[in-house]
Amino acid sequence: MPVYPWLYRTFIHRTDPEAAHHLALAAIAVAGRIAPVRGLMRATIGHLDPAPAPAAGLPHIGTRVLPGRLGLAAGMDKDADAVLGMAALGFAFVEVGTVTPRPQPGNDRPRLWRLMDADGLRNRMGFNNRGVGDMVDNLRELRSTRAGRAVVVGANIGKNKTTPEEDAAEDYRVCARAVAPWVDFVVVNVSSPNTPGLRDLQAVDHLRPVLQAARRGCEEGVVRRIPLFVKIAPDLGDAEILEVVALTRELGVEGVVATNTTIDHDLGEGGVSGRPLNPRALEVVRLVSRHLGEEQTLIGTGGIASAEDAMRMIEAGADLVEAFTAFVFEGATWPGRVNRALAGH
């Protein structure tokens, strides 16, 4: 067993999971800001070839060609603190957030648990973040450098807990407008189980105005077209999923992220990610891929723990894949290793 996974399963898992998360994220952020350290990380751990000029068949989001198919899922870097460090570790793109219009502390602690026997996590974080203004400050600073402009970054946007359902669309418009000048794609998150009533927005009658508002926000923020995605829950029924997919085609939404965490467990409050989610995530990806338009992009996420898992997700129909939990369990060398194994597929 490699050193980090052994350390994680022997010692690190005994620490407070949220404290460990913040410590690791801070270290990656600092390393990413120091050019020589970042270069060493990229050369030894990440080691992704630079993305070539746009060409048919290469992985891409919108007009941005990617150096690999595996990206970082939302939830790890909520405020865009560590984008350069994550890219240097080998992630081909980085999805930051979820961000809300106003700062939000999230739910009371404890709210994050390791599922050591299942290679999973359970969280009830509740969109804790410093608000979209803080994220924009970080993204503006990121894009002021050549290295920062080279990274493909997406922003995952949500609504504040205190915003009533009838005003939810405006929260998404505000966030989309704020981040659009600084990101390469926007993901509408209506599928987290940790904000009361949020998943109700996946019903097409509620989702339509949310997606329309997010599109308006993107168009208000920039002249260029920003690819818009919607992230769906694995706990939707197949018929509900097909209704969402049909809506994305009707509205010209560029793609779908499948899936968020699952509440199909008996462990307590919150959503589960990691290996327990993988079978259903694969089912959802297969279903969505059969009904998306050819021009749309499907990002598959949920329980990808190895290059083989990533390939199964791609074979199920995903154009790109994302991970979070395996990065926690396997460590800094994992994303580059997986992306190198996926090269050419």
Side-chain angles (χ1 to χ4, degrees):
M1 179 182 292
V3 173
Y4 175 85
W6 179 83
L7 286 173
Y8 188 86
R9 287 167 171 79
T10 306
F11 299 110
I12 298 175
H13 81 275
R14 302 178 189 275
T15 64
D16 176 78
E18 191 167 350
H21 170 91
H22 289 304
L23 181 62
L25 187 69
I28 295 169
V30 170
R33 293 190 187 105
I34 303 171
V37 176
R38 186 173 68 241
L40 182 63
M41 289 164 59
R42 182 177 293 279
T44 59
I45 297 175
H47 193 60
L48 282 180
D49 292 330
L58 294 173
H60 65 278
I61 295 179
T63 59
R64 295 297 303 271
V65 178
L66 302 171
R69 292 191 182 272
L70 172 71
L72 178 66
M76 173 67 70
D77 188 0
K78 293 177 179 291
D79 299 294
D81 291 314
V83 174
L84 285 175
M86 293 298 182
L89 292 178
F91 284 109
F93 59 97
V94 177
E95 186 179 328
V96 297
T98 299
V99 69
T100 54
R102 301 178 301 282
Q104 185 160 281
N107 295 322
D108 295 336
R109 300 188 187 195
R111 54 191 183 180
L112 179 62
W113 298 266
R114 302 179 180 102
L115 309 177
M116 296 303 299
D117 294 337
D119 288 344
L121 297 172
R122 174 168 65 95
N123 90 85
R124 51 180 295 275
M125 302 299 290
F127 287 173
N128 55 305
N129 73 102
R130 300 195 299 266
V132 74
D134 195 290
M135 175 182 279
V136 166
D137 288 343
N138 285 343
L139 291 171
R140 183 185 294 111
E141 180 181 357
L142 176 77
R143 297 308 203 185
S144 70
T145 67
R146 181 177 179 180
R149 290 190 292 273
V151 182
V152 177
V153 183
N156 185 297
I157 61 174
K159 81 172 190 72
N160 281 109
K161 182 178 181 179
T162 57
T163 300
E165 182 180 312
E166 59 268 25
D167 298 328
E170 179 63 9
D171 272 17
Y172 288 93
R173 186 197 67 80
V174 168
C175 283
R177 188 184 191 284
V179 301
W182 312 106
V183 299
D184 300 295
F185 63 101
V186 170
V187 180
V188 170
N189 188 348
V190 287
S191 51
S192 169
N194 300 318
T195 297
L198 188 77
R199 285 193 169 191
D200 295 341
L201 298 177
Q202 292 177 111
V204 291
D205 289 346
H206 296 135
L207 183 58
R208 183 187 301 275
V210 167
L211 292 178
Q212 290 172 330
R215 176 68 77 197
R216 285 198 305 275
C218 289
E219 292 173 349
E220 292 167 1
V222 294
V223 175
R224 62 190 170 92
R225 186 173 178 89
I226 303 295
L228 186 66
F229 290 72
V230 61
K231 188 168 188 176
I232 62 174
D235 307 306
L236 290 174
D238 288 358
E240 296 170 301
I241 291 171
L242 293 181
E243 289 178 350
V244 172
V245 172
L247 181 63
T248 67
R249 297 186 66 170
E250 175 192 338
L251 297 181
V253 172
E254 278 76 7
V256 172
V257 180
T259 63
N260 213 315
T261 59
T262 181
I263 57 173
D264 185 17
H265 60 82
D266 57 2
L267 301 172
E269 293 182 332
V272 166
S273 62
R275 283 197 184 278
L277 174 58
N278 188 246
R280 178 54 180 165
L282 277 171
E283 290 178 355
V284 175
V285 165
R286 289 192 189 97
L287 179 63
V288 172
S289 69
R290 292 198 299 267
H291 294 87
L292 279 183
E294 290 185 5
E295 73 286 354
Q296 291 179 291
T297 298
L298 174 55
I299 301 177
T301 181
I304 295 173
S306 65
E308 292 74 21
D309 290 335
M311 274 307 309
R312 280 190 285 273
M313 193 74 79
I314 291 168
E315 290 166 356
D319 300 290
L320 304 167
V321 292
E322 289 181 338
F324 176 143
T325 302
F327 180 48
V328 173
F329 275 76
E330 299 298 324
T333 63
W334 184 82
R337 190 166 70 245
V338 172
N339 258 326
R340 291 193 297 275
L342 294 178
H345 295 283

